[in-house]
Structures are given as C-alpha cells and as structure tokens.
Amino acid sequence: MKAVFIKKHGGPEVIHYGDLPKPEIEENDVLINIKYAALNHLDIWVRMGIPGIKVKFPHILGSDGAGIVEECGNKTTSFKKGDKVLIDPGISCGICTMCRKGEHSQCKTFHLVGEHIDGTYAEFVKVPEENVHPIPDGLTMIEAAAFPLTFLTAWRMLISKAKIKAGETFLIIGIGGGVATACLQLAASMKLKTIVTSSDDNKIKKAREIGAFEGINYKKEDVYKKVKAITGGEGVDIVFDSVGAETWETSLKCLKRGGRLITCGATSGGIAQTDIQRVFWNQISIFGSTMGSRGEMNELLNFMKVAGTRPVIDECFPLKDYKKAQKYMESKKQFGKILIEI
Ligand SMILES: [Zn+2]
C-alpha cells in the first residue's frame, strides 16, 4: 500500500512516500481504508523524535483520519465492511485507575495513532475498535478526518476544564492553528465573546468571519492594553494560550479576577515567569489539558451533530505531496486544517 513514513528521525528530508505492507489486524482491531487524513503539529515532533518515545521504523505518520471499514477483528462487534468511520487517535490501556475513571488521556500508557504506532498517512491503518466511530450524519468524509484531535483537545479544555458559559469573554492567543481555530468555533457556538490575536490581519479577518468579536494584531497593538479597553478595564474570563514562554505573562495579566487560563502546548518554550501574587490574589485557575476521554469524544460528536459545527479546512494535498503539506504547516500561513487525500 502507498504510505508516508520515516525511516529515521530528522528534518523534512527523512519523509518518504512509497510502498509498505498492508497492516495485519489483531482480534480487537478494525482495518480502515483511509480516504482523508489531517496534519497536526505532532507530525513534526514525531518526525524530529520525541524524547522518551521509541518508534519502530519504518514509521507511518498521521494522527487524524477517516475512511471505510475494510476488515474487522474476530472480537469486534460494532462495525462491518463498508461502514464510513473516523478515528479517535487517543490510545489508552482501558484498565488502569485513570482509564476506569473515564480519564483516558491521563492513562500512563496514553499515546496517539501516528505517534508510537503507525498512523493515517496510508491507504490502510489498523486501530482498536474502541477508537473507531461512525461518521455523524451531515459530516463529509473530509470534515470527519479534519476535526478529531484538535476539536477533542479544545472540547476538554473549554467544556470539561474551564466550564465555559454563554456570555463570557474569551481571549485566544494566536489564531490560525488547528486547536485555536477549534476553540474559536466552539466558543462561537456557545455564544462567548471571543477576542483573537495574530500578526496577520488576514487571519484576523477570517477569524471574524467564523465568530470572533474582536481581533488584535500584536505586531501593531499592545495585547494587554487592547484587551483591557475591549473589556472595560476588567480583563477576560478565559484565556487560551498554547504559545507558552513568549506570551504567558501577558496572558495571565489579561485575566479578570477569578479568570481561568487553559493551555495544551508551549510552542515558543515551556519555561516562563508567573506572578504568583497575581494568581492567588486574583484567584486565577490554570488548567493544563491534553486530548480527551472516550466520553468527551462522544459528547463532541453529539455536539457537532446538534450545533452543526464544522471544522475549517484550509487546503488539501494528495498523499504523494505530504512533504509540501508539512512545509506549508511549518510556514504557519494556514487558517484551519490542512488535509491529505489518499
Ligand atoms: Zn489506562
């Protein structure tokens, strides 16, 4: 089968497009004929090598995907050949205390499709049955491939952790990436007043089109002063910051008393200064979060059906041009998801 894979860690030059054997399924697996897959920044971390994570080479990249069931393991019960399905990329043991509490993304063995195990940039991928979901009515195959990782991450942060409410004010640091865009779309559906930041006026314009109330170009304006001005001097209820070191202090300053900060990444670095007095005096909560649980995935799928929320798709490349797609993602020019057609 055709696939995009790496034979060692390194720069873009280690990415190959070629033939690999079709995977053989175990009794609890489903084999899926992938039609679309979606890029995530995780692809780049896996390509370069994540400390502590060993992958078996050749390793197929890709965490998000949707397609058609090709074959079902003997012990599976929910699917049959021909079903249209999408993949929940989070793999957990299912039997530890955290898994039994329904906190799958806190399982000690938690990992993602395409990270420790072969991913979705291939004609076929095998995943455990519990990671397979029917594509909800109304969602196209390409949309089904585009949303799971980023929307599930956004859902857990906003709904389960920050417990957002209609009418609250919400600041998104750096709009354009998959999780930030998912946060904006969920917040817009839930009637929050969302402010986004970017260095690109065009991205701010696009953000307004999908529900942002206000945009701040941080190259031209001071984010803290502008947030204060927009909120009548109060600050916002919630900040989403996955930029990290470069923006952390400003993000904390932009919160009103009792505000909540949510984070699922630190692309500019993980070490930053925190004014602890501000945290306790203003009674600020900081929520770290990663991916989501099986239950949260079900909640999200239901929400998308009811609310009609659809992921923003920026561009779609053929599988053989994956290297170009990854380069495009690294250029940070995209707004929404970059897809691969297989
Ligand atoms: Zn577990």
Side-chain angles (χ1 to χ4, degrees), residues 9-279:
H9 294 298
E13 70 283 355
V14 302
I15 299 168
H16 295 275
Y17 168 72
D19 287 296
L20 285 181
K22 193 171 161 182
E24 283 176 24
I25 56 169
E26 316 273 331
E27 54 193 9
N28 292 312
D29 290 337
V30 174
L31 186 70
I32 301 166
N33 177 204
I34 296 288
K35 297 297 177 192
Y36 289 96
L39 274 79
N40 290 290
H41 278 278
L42 181 67
D43 297 3
I44 295 169
W45 310 135
V46 174
R47 188 199 77 205
M48 294 192 301
I50 302 170
I53 295 181
K54 273 208 153 175
V55 303
K56 225 176 89 194
F57 296 117
H59 176 73
I60 302 171
L61 299 169
S63 300
D64 278 321
I68 292 166
V69 171
E70 173 76 8
E71 194 186 342
C72 297
N74 292 335
K75 285 195 174 166
T76 65
T77 55
S78 307
F79 299 97
K80 61 179 187 313
K81 189 177 160 92
D83 285 349
K84 290 179 180 171
V85 294
L86 60 86
I87 296 169
D88 170 358
I91 310 261
S92 57
C93 77
I95 53 169
C96 73
T97 306
M98 282 306 178
C99 283
R100 285 189 164 148
K101 279 169 81 175
E103 289 290 347
H104 302 95
S105 65
Q106 291 187 58
C107 173
K108 264 192 186 170
T109 68
F110 186 76
H111 59 279
L112 297 174
V113 171
E115 185 187 36
H116 298 49
I117 56 169
D118 278 336
T120 53
Y121 301 140
E123 288 177 276
F124 296 95
V125 64
K126 64 168 183 180
V127 287
E129 181 185 27
E130 61 181 28
N131 288 78
V132 183
H133 294 266
I135 295 178
D137 292 342
L139 235 73
T140 62
M141 187 73 83
I142 190 168
E143 288 167 344
F147 83 88
L149 194 150
T150 52
F151 269 78
L152 182 58
T153 303
W155 181 268
R156 180 171 171 84
M157 284 194 295
L158 291 173
I159 309 298
S160 307
K161 300 271 183 172
K163 297 186 169 50
I164 56 171
K165 295 182 209 74
E168 287 192 307
T169 46
F170 178 32
L171 173 65
I172 297 176
I173 303 293
I175 197 65
V179 178
T181 312
C183 280
L184 170 57
Q185 290 188 271
L186 288 178
S189 306
M190 314 272 294
K191 308 291 179 211
L192 273 73
K193 188 173 172 180
T194 305
I195 306 162
V196 301
T197 75
S198 178
S199 59
D200 180 344
D201 286 333
N202 195 37
K203 286 188 183 178
I204 290 174
K205 185 173 161 271
K206 285 182 178 169
R208 282 178 183 275
E209 285 165 13
I210 57 164
F213 169 77
E214 189 67 84
I216 306 170
N217 185 325
Y218 64 81
K219 287 265 157 82
K220 297 177 188 168
E221 292 175 291
D222 183 274
V223 172
Y224 170 67
K225 281 186 192 158
K226 191 77 195 282
V227 167
K228 285 280 176 175
I230 296 166
T231 56
E234 276 214 325
V236 292
D237 292 290
I238 307 129
V239 175
F240 165 63
D241 183 343
S242 67
V243 177
E246 279 174 14
T247 52
W248 185 257
E249 279 186 89
T250 305
S251 292
L252 284 171
K253 273 166 69 181
C254 287
L255 284 168
K256 67 158 72 157
R257 288 173 182 240
R260 295 97 86 197
L261 188 143
I262 49 177
T263 176
C264 65
T267 48
S268 69
I271 307 295
Q273 282 215 317
T274 300
D275 179 350
I276 295 167
Q277 279 173 326
R278 178 183 299 279
V279 173

